[in-house]
Amino acid sequence: MVSKIGVFDSGIGGLSVLKELIKTFPKNHFIYLSDEGYFPYGTKEREEIIERGERIVSFLKEKKVNLVVVACNTMSSVGLPYLKEKFSIPIVGVIEGAVEKAISTTKNGKIGVISTPLTAKSHIYKERITSLLPEAQVLEIGSQELVNVVEDGIIEENPVFPLAKRVLSPLKDVDTLILGCTHFPPLEEIIRRIIPHVKIVDPGKEITFKLKHLVECNSNLKLEFYTTGDKNSFKRKANIFIDNFNFEVKEIDI
């Protein structure tokens, strides 16, 4: 059984996944790594993303984690198969649970996905959804701009609303929307204002169901945070996801 979990993302977005993991497993040991020094993944080449994934999982393995959660859709879509083959410890991504939830949620078969450009270009959500629901119509939209505003700590309605409205305009007919980037949960209220009827699928929430049979609880919650960027910037922006964030953050170079 798993008792020490490593979680990583290209930036702060993966904290949305960590938050859900803490809710479900409140007595566990988590190590979170934010690869801000190499943000964003969504505009990089596949080989570079895989290399970052290998370095990060190696670091987490040195920290004796016995499960790694790839809290990044881009890494999950591009690098996960390689990482699972390379390392012996269990490594899980955020895509499968979201796909299953979207299929069980949609009524009209029209499913939207908002993500980074690279995740959209990979068509992984469309491929996975239509393999299980062939008649589904899947519309994938990639927006690095929307990812960037959250990574910069900007989630206020102005200026995010006009940008989100423009990005989401092609998705007005979908009845189910997958947040295909872990940066997007803080924008859920804005998204609901733009597409009021839509059912939102948050992969961070779905992954906890996948892990329930693997994770055992310790006696106390323990959290460790690392960043390849600036620790003060990370601490400031982390409050978007974790209220009153006051944990120590260590800068690393990997």
Side-chain angles (χ1 to χ4, degrees):
M1 294 290 284
V2 169
S3 59
K4 192 174 184 180
I5 301 173
V7 183
F8 77 92
D9 181 35
S10 62
I12 62 169
L15 291 172
S16 64
V17 178
L18 178 64
K19 183 177 180 179
E20 296 301 327
L21 290 170
I22 292 171
K23 284 181 185 177
T24 306
F25 311 112
K27 295 182 179 180
N28 219 296
H29 186 171
F30 296 96
I31 298 177
Y32 184 86
L33 192 153
S34 172
D35 199 19
E36 291 174 287
Y38 293 84
F39 177 87
Y41 286 168
T43 58
K44 289 183 169 55
E45 295 296 325
R46 178 179 181 274
E47 292 74 17
E48 186 176 359
I49 293 170
I50 290 174
E51 180 185 358
R52 292 308 302 160
E54 185 173 354
R55 286 176 180 267
I56 291 167
V57 175
S58 295
F59 171 82
L60 293 172
K61 192 175 179 182
E62 289 176 4
K63 293 294 179 181
K64 308 299 183 185
V65 304
N66 42 23
L67 172 72
V68 174
V69 175
V70 181
C72 172
N73 282 265
T74 301
M75 183 66 75
S76 293
S77 64
V78 173
L80 186 60
Y82 172 83
L83 296 176
K84 292 176 78 168
E85 184 176 338
K86 173 77 176 178
F87 296 94
S88 58
I89 59 174
I91 303 175
V92 297
V94 291
I95 291 173
E96 298 302 330
V99 166
E100 293 171 8
K101 181 65 174 180
I103 289 173
S104 66
T105 300
T106 185
K107 302 300 183 185
N108 65 7
K110 296 179 180 179
I111 300 171
V113 184
I114 52 171
S115 66
T116 66
L118 191 57
T119 299
K121 186 178 178 180
S122 76
H123 299 301
I124 190 166
Y125 274 105
K126 184 175 184 178
E127 290 174 1
R128 298 289 172 83
I129 291 170
T130 55
S131 70
L132 299 172
L133 187 68
E135 66 272 24
Q137 299 177 46
V138 183
L139 185 55
E140 299 163 298
I141 301 293
S143 173
Q144 192 60 48
E145 285 181 277
L146 210 52
V147 179
N148 290 347
V149 294
V150 178
E151 182 65 24
D152 288 340
I154 303 169
I155 59 170
E156 294 80 11
E157 183 167 323
N158 188 16
V160 177
F161 186 88
L163 171 60
K165 188 174 183 179
R166 173 168 57 81
V167 170
L168 295 169
S169 60
L171 301 174
K172 62 182 184 301
D173 293 328
V174 304
D175 75 342
T176 303
L177 178 65
I178 297 174
L179 303 183
C181 176
T182 54
H183 282 70
F184 292 156
L187 305 181
E188 187 169 329
E189 188 174 324
I190 290 175
I191 293 169
R192 291 189 188 282
R193 284 194 57 207
I194 297 168
I195 317 176
H197 64 275
V198 80
K199 301 292 185 183
I200 293 176
V201 176
D202 178 357
K205 293 180 179 178
E206 301 310 316
I207 198 171
T208 60
F209 298 112
K210 292 283 188 182
L211 298 180
K212 280 188 175 180
H213 69 290
L214 290 175
V215 178
E216 64 179 2
C217 289
N218 296 321
S219 57
N220 294 294
L221 176 66
K222 184 176 180 181
L223 300 172
E224 297 179 45
F225 294 92
Y226 298 88
T227 179
T228 58
D230 179 75
K231 64 182 180 181
N232 293 320
S233 174
F234 176 87
K235 291 174 75 171
R236 175 180 59 82
K237 295 182 292 186
N239 283 288
I240 294 173
F241 297 93
I242 299 177
D243 294 336
N244 302 313
F245 185 94
N246 61 355
F247 299 95
E248 179 185 7
V249 179
K250 296 180 180 179
E251 293 179 6
I252 58 171
D253 182 15
I254 57 173

